[in-house]
Amino acid sequence: MGDSGEGARQAAPSGRKDARRNRETLLDAAATVFVTSGVDAPVRDIAAKAGVGLGTIYRHFPTRADLIIGVYRHQVDACADAGPALLATGSPYTALGQWINLFVDFLVTKHGLAAVLQADNADFEALHAYFLDRLLPVCTELLEAAAVTGEIRPDIDAYQLMRGVGNLCIGAESDTRYDARRMAELLVAGLRRSHH
């Protein structure tokens, strides 16, 4: 993802890093506000949560749609980046389970974003493609690593698994008695190779 304009100013590397960090802080704040108050929450609430002025938000994201798309992409990136980091910490099967938990959290909290974006099909389709391009390889890598160690069966397709987890998440935000994460954990437990 480019620096959208920062490079043109020939900013010092630390300046670029600060700008990127500020943008990430802003996107994290927007995501939190969207989850608690919906995507129609006042921009001033997001600015207050991020500790920035309204002008800063509008400079980065001129329209609400730009902000929503930015939040969605930021959350996809965070989920994608978590896969290799989790894989480096120990058992591939444990990493897979932890990543699926993050994926569930993303799916449950992004449904409001997805509903808004469906109004503009071109943007939504581009984001869906981005979602698959970023997350499918990560899930594939986790599955392959767990299969190589013999922790799971080798015949599990990443797209099928992600689709199954997605289906388990439908309706989670409208039913407080339903625990999508628990259902996904049961699905991941079912991937384990039985040792007779």
Side-chain angles (χ1 to χ4, degrees), residues 60-179:
H60 286 286
F61 306 101
T63 68
R64 184 175 296 274
D66 293 331
L67 181 59
I68 291 168
I69 289 166
V71 167
Y72 186 99
R73 289 176 67 103
H74 180 61
Q75 289 185 318
V76 168
D77 289 342
C79 192
D81 293 344
L86 289 168
L87 202 49
T89 62
S91 149
Y93 175 77
T94 301
L96 174 66
Q98 291 169 329
W99 187 80
I100 291 292
N101 282 341
L102 293 174
F103 183 57
V104 168
D105 292 347
F106 167 75
L107 290 176
V108 170
T109 59
K110 77 127 183 94
H111 277 143
L113 298 179
V116 169
L117 293 164
Q118 283 182 30
D120 184 344
N121 266 343
D123 280 348
F124 184 72
E125 284 171 22
L127 278 178
H128 188 67
Y130 185 75
F131 169 91
L132 288 176
D133 288 348
R134 289 288 280 134
L135 298 182
L136 211 47
V138 174
C139 188
T140 300
E141 182 184 4
L142 288 162
L143 285 169
E144 287 174 354
V148 165
T149 58
E151 294 174 287
I152 66 168
R153 298 169 20 198
D155 60 344
I156 295 141
D157 176 74
Y159 179 79
Q160 297 286 334
L161 177 61
M162 288 172 60
R163 188 72 194 258
V165 171
N167 288 338
L168 287 173
C169 291
I170 292 171
E173 68 272 10
S174 60
D175 183 351
T176 55
R177 295 180 312 158
Y178 181 69
D179 186 348

Side-chain angles (χ1 to χ4, degrees), residues 1 22-34 38-47 50 52 54 56-75 113 116-117 123 127:
M1 194 156 126
N22 291 345
R23 191 171 190 276
E24 288 177 5
T25 299
L26 203 157
L27 289 168
D28 286 336
T32 302
V33 171
F34 286 168
V39 291
D40 293 324
V43 174
R44 70 180 168 275
D45 292 359
I46 296 166
V52 300
L54 286 173
T56 301
I57 292 182
Y58 288 120
R59 192 166 48 254
H60 286 286
F61 306 101
T63 68
R64 184 175 296 274
D66 293 331
L67 181 59
I68 291 168
I69 289 166
V71 167
Y72 186 99
R73 289 176 67 103
H74 180 61
Q75 289 185 318
L113 298 179
V116 169
L117 293 164
D123 280 348
L127 278 178

